[in-house]
Amino acid sequence: MAVQEARQGTEAPRGAGAHDGGCTCGDCPHGARAGHRRAQAAFLLQRDGFAAGHGLPAAVAHSVSASRQWVSEELTQSAELVAERGRAEGEAWLTRLWLRTAATVWAAVVTLLLVQSLTAVGAGWSDARTAGLLAALVVAGALTTASWFHRARGGALAPVMGEDNRLSTSRAVAAAWVLLVAYAVLVLVGRLAAASGHAERDALLSGLDLSRGAGVVTVLAVVCGIAVLVRRVVGVRVLAQRLQKVRASRPRAADLLTDDAGRGTFADIQYVVISAVALVFAAVRLARRPDQLPDLPWGLAVVVLVSAATYLAGKYAEGGRPVILSVVRAREAGDLDAPIRTGDDIEIRGAGFVPPGAQTADRLSRMVVRIGPVHVHVPLVPVTGGFSNPTDAVLTVPVPADVEPGRVDVQVVTAAGAETNRYAIDVTD
């Protein structure tokens, strides 16, 4: 499929369509999407061609090191184009996302109206239903207004997006509880405004007593505190190089359940699932008793608190600083054993060289190895379907001629900017 798309992209005539990748319609999502797809298809075709040994110029074909360097430079330039097109697509996607979030919010209001209308058959329309619908309209209007002001950042999703352009699990859970509690209070406000007798007003005011809403208030305080604390923890760990973060092209719903590499994580999944169950329970309690805050039982509240503590512990435990464990001379089949000399390839073994979410070629090409005072860019070595160098545990780089013989330090700088420990090696003449 990649080969077909790349061939179609090269064979399509100019002016074949208004949105053929080179679209100049400003933030047009069609042009951004098509441009990114074609650039990515062309890159995959080029990478697999180099992996099969095709496309090498005769001037570098005789030298393994020269051909590897040339291939790496060509792939790096193509990867930068793919990354640029990906960023353009992500910005266009965020720009039009605010309309989708606004439409989703008002669709929820319409759904609430339909549910209330169906449940009112036989029982009759009540002041509680009117208050619930008015509260939904107020919340929807506020979210729509916020979406418009943040339309370049994803609309209503902007507050729950992290600095790495991914959806934050802790912020999403806290925002859901805030919206539920705000909606519950607005329902009580609407009923209080419509109440005519002192006894009814006193009963509604007693519905705000802490004794009735202690469980939901405690959960709200904890999840909001977790959202603030997790942001601080992640920021401190990144600055201390104990956690590596790279920016995503755009947020995805799967970010709530996965890590930066797209793998599902237990801490995030259990936090989202348990919080969702508790939110559904609280919403049902509010529907059954609209005259007070949702009385979340302490048993369920403690379950949510344990889940939040597990999520926070997972944030403290994740990540780690990249580390070099050993450096050896890379040996081809048939080579004699020898010490490390300038011009030789060295194999750096360790862990954490590729940060989560940095598996794309443009990120891999940003990796650097410091050998003494010389900075060596890690070459991209393509294979069918990916790259054999660099990897998360092994890097192979040449020792340049500018490295003076003697004892020198080797240090890896990852795509996230984190530095490994220094590892001393001996370079001979």
Side-chain angles (χ1 to χ4, degrees):
M1 183 178 297
V3 174
Q4 293 176 355
E5 290 187 358
R7 289 175 177 172
Q8 292 172 2
T10 56
E11 296 174 0
R14 293 185 179 181
H19 307 290
D20 287 343
C23 178
T24 58
C25 300
D27 294 332
C28 173
H30 303 286
R33 188 186 308 114
H36 182 218
R37 184 175 63 250
R38 292 188 177 183
Q40 190 172 23
F43 171 79
L44 295 177
L45 179 63
Q46 184 183 40
R47 183 199 64 190
D48 293 343
F50 286 149
H54 305 310
L56 291 177
V60 299
H62 66 282
S63 173
V64 175
S65 60
S67 60
R68 182 179 59 186
Q69 184 67 27
W70 185 87
V71 167
S72 179
E73 293 294 337
E74 290 293 316
L75 290 177
T76 298
Q77 293 179 8
S78 298
E80 290 176 353
L81 176 61
V82 174
E84 180 182 353
R85 295 291 177 85
R87 287 190 293 269
E89 181 188 6
E91 292 175 359
W93 185 86
L94 283 177
T95 301
R96 68 181 185 272
L97 181 62
W98 81 273
L99 289 174
R100 297 182 180 180
T101 57
T104 301
V105 169
W106 287 104
V109 174
V110 173
T111 302
L112 177 63
L113 176 61
L114 293 176
V115 171
Q116 287 187 341
S117 300
L118 292 176
T119 55
V121 176
W125 193 266
S126 62
D127 293 339
R129 288 185 171 86
T130 302
L133 184 58
L134 291 177
L137 291 174
V138 171
V139 173
L143 290 176
T144 303
T145 303
S147 297
W148 189 85
F149 281 108
H150 295 86
R151 57 188 180 278
R153 285 283 299 160
L157 295 182
V160 298
M161 287 172 53
E163 287 72 15
D164 57 353
N165 207 31
R166 294 180 176 88
L167 292 181
S168 170
T169 302
S170 59
R171 297 184 192 180
V173 171
W177 281 102
V178 167
L179 287 177
L180 176 65
V181 173
Y183 176 76
V185 173
L186 287 175
V187 171
L188 289 175
V189 170
R191 296 206 61 193
L192 185 63
S196 56
H198 292 287
E200 185 179 0
R201 286 195 293 268
D202 292 340
L204 290 172
L205 289 175
S206 65
L208 292 173
D209 288 344
L210 186 61
S211 59
R212 297 188 177 183
V216 71
V217 171
T218 302
V219 169
L220 176 65
V222 170
V223 296
C224 290
I226 291 291
V228 175
L229 183 58
V230 164
R231 180 180 181 183
R232 175 63 178 172
V233 168
V234 171
V236 170
R237 287 172 61 83
V238 169
L239 293 178
Q241 299 190 20
R242 295 195 299 271
L243 180 65
Q244 301 188 71
K245 299 284 286 186
V246 295
R247 185 177 177 84
S249 58
R250 66 178 179 88
R252 293 175 172 83
D255 295 338
L256 300 178
L257 305 175
T258 62
D259 59 8
D260 292 352
R263 299 182 298 262
T265 57
F266 170 76
D268 293 61
I269 292 174
Q270 61 86 28
Y271 190 39
V272 171
V273 171
I274 292 179
S275 298
V277 171
L279 279 167
V280 171
F281 182 90
V284 172
R285 291 296 297 171
L286 177 62
R288 301 294 294 178
R289 295 293 302 272
D291 56 344
Q292 64 180 42
L293 288 176
D295 52 341
L296 197 66
W298 275 111
L300 183 56
V302 170
V303 170
V304 177
L305 299 184
V306 172
S307 175
T310 303
Y311 172 77
L312 182 61
K315 285 298 178 182
Y316 271 103
E318 73 176 0
R321 188 168 184 173
V323 59
I324 296 178
L325 300 178
S326 61
V327 178
V328 298
R329 176 177 176 270
R331 178 180 177 274
E332 297 291 340
D335 285 352
L336 298 177
D337 295 331
I340 299 175
R341 295 185 175 90
T342 56
D344 290 343
D345 290 340
I346 58 174
E347 187 177 278
I348 305 172
R349 303 171 182 174
F353 296 148
V354 180
Q359 290 81 10
T360 56
D362 63 300
R363 301 289 187 180
L364 295 177
S365 63
R366 297 179 61 186
M367 298 181 64
V368 176
V369 176
R370 282 200 291 258
I371 305 178
V374 182
H375 292 71
V376 182
H377 286 270
V378 180
L380 299 176
V381 180
V383 294
T384 302
F387 297 93
S388 62
N389 186 66
T391 64
D392 188 64
V394 179
L395 304 178
T396 300
V397 294
V399 179
D402 295 332
V403 175
E404 297 292 337
R407 195 166 185 83
V408 295
D409 290 332
V410 176
Q411 191 176 28
V412 176
V413 182
T414 69
E419 298 178 342
T420 65
N421 56 305
R422 297 178 183 271
Y423 193 95
I425 62 173
D426 293 316
V427 179
T428 61
D429 292 330

